[in-house]
Amino acid sequence: AGYKRTLLPRAMLVEAAVLLRAKRFEEAEAKAVEAIQANPYDVILAQRAQPFLLLTTKLSPAKHDVLLQMTRVVPSNVGLYSEALTAAGRFAEADKAFADLVVVAAIAYKKFTPVDFEASRSVLLALNGDLDQSNTLKTKVEADIAALQANGEAAGMTSAITRASEMLTLQSLLVELKQGKAAEARATFRAHGAWLLATRSLVYASL
C-alpha cells in the first residue's frame, strides 16, 4: 500500500515528463491525473503535477475531479482549476470557483481585498455573456483599488493590483466585442501590448 501511494505516483510523474518531451501531450496529462488519483492528499505530489495538468483544453471527468480535489486540499489551487474550466469553455463554473474562494478567504483573513480574483471574475462573467454583472464587478474592483491607494495600502498589494488592472483591460476589450464595437476592441488590444499577467486560457478565450 505504501508503494502505491508514494513511489508509484512519483514514477508516474516521471513517465508524464517523458511523454511530454515526446510531445505526447494528452498522454502526459492523463498520466499526471492518474498519479494524483493514486494519492489525492499528497500536497507535494500535486504541486509537482501542476505543469502537466493544463497541457490540453480537454476536461475529462477524471481531470476535473482531480483538479477539484486539489482545491480542497490547498484552496489556492483554485486558480489552476479555474484555468482548466476556462480553457474548456465552462466560464460560469470557473467564475463560481473564484467566488467560492473569495468567500472562504474573507472568513480566514480579517483584511482581504480580492481585487485580482474579482477582476478575473469580471472577465469570466463577460465571457459568459453576463455583461451587467461583469461591469458591476469591474466598478467594484476599481473602487477597491482606489481605496487601497488612498489608504496607503496599495504598496503591499502591488502584484495583485497590477494583475487586476490587466484583467480589467481584458474585461473592457471583451465588453466592446460583445457590444459589436470591433474597432474599439482592436484599439484596446493594440494599446495594451503583451498580456503578461492574465492567464493564457483567459486571453485565448477572449480572442
Side-chain angles (χ1 to χ4, degrees):
Y3 167 75
K4 289 182 178 180
R5 286 192 170 273
T6 56
L7 294 179
L8 181 58
R10 282 159 175 75
M12 289 177 179
L13 285 189
V14 172
E15 187 178 349
V18 172
L19 290 165
L20 177 58
R21 284 196 290 271
K23 297 184 179 181
R24 294 160 63 180
F25 302 119
E26 288 189 29
E27 293 172 77
E29 187 177 82
K31 187 57 65 174
V33 168
E34 187 180 350
I36 298 175
Q37 286 175 322
N39 192 349
Y41 297 99
D42 188 327
V43 174
I44 302 301
L45 177 71
Q47 184 178 12
R48 292 175 177 171
Q50 285 188 18
F52 302 101
L53 296 175
L54 294 176
L55 294 175
T56 76
T57 60
K58 295 179 180 178
L59 190 58
S60 66
K63 178 178 170 181
H64 174 273
D65 290 348
V66 158
L67 289 166
L68 183 58
Q69 170 63 17
M70 287 170 64
T71 69
R72 290 168 177 159
V73 176
V74 180
S76 60
N77 283 330
V78 73
L80 188 72
Y81 177 51
S82 181
E83 189 166 355
L85 288 166
T86 302
R90 293 162 64 168
F91 307 126
E93 292 172 77
D95 169 57
K96 184 178 184 303
F98 272 124
D100 290 345
L101 177 65
V102 168
V103 171
V104 172
I107 296 170
Y109 300 101
K110 288 184 179 179
K111 275 196 170 184
F112 180 62
T113 309
V115 290
D116 50 346
F117 293 121
E118 292 191 332
S120 296
R121 287 193 60 209
S122 75
V123 176
L124 289 164
L125 287 164
L127 283 167
N128 202 46
D130 193 345
L131 300 189
D132 289 341
Q133 193 173 350
S134 174
N135 284 329
T136 297
L137 200 52
K138 178 188 177 184
T139 300
K140 179 182 181 300
V141 173
E142 290 172 336
D144 286 343
I145 291 174
L148 289 169
Q149 292 168 337
N151 296 334
E153 298 175 4
M157 295 186 61
T158 302
S159 178
I161 290 173
T162 302
R163 185 170 183 271
S165 297
E166 180 162 295
M167 290 293 185
L168 294 183
T169 301
L170 188 58
Q171 189 269 359
S172 296
L173 185 152
L174 275 168
V175 170
E176 288 166 351
L177 284 174
K178 297 281 186 181
Q179 293 176 339
K181 301 176 182 177
E184 290 89 339
R186 285 194 295 270
T188 300
F189 184 82
R190 285 195 299 269
H192 184 275
W195 298 90
L196 301 176
L197 301 174
T199 63
R200 178 182 62 183
S201 59
L202 276 178
V203 174
Y204 285 177
S206 301
L207 301 178

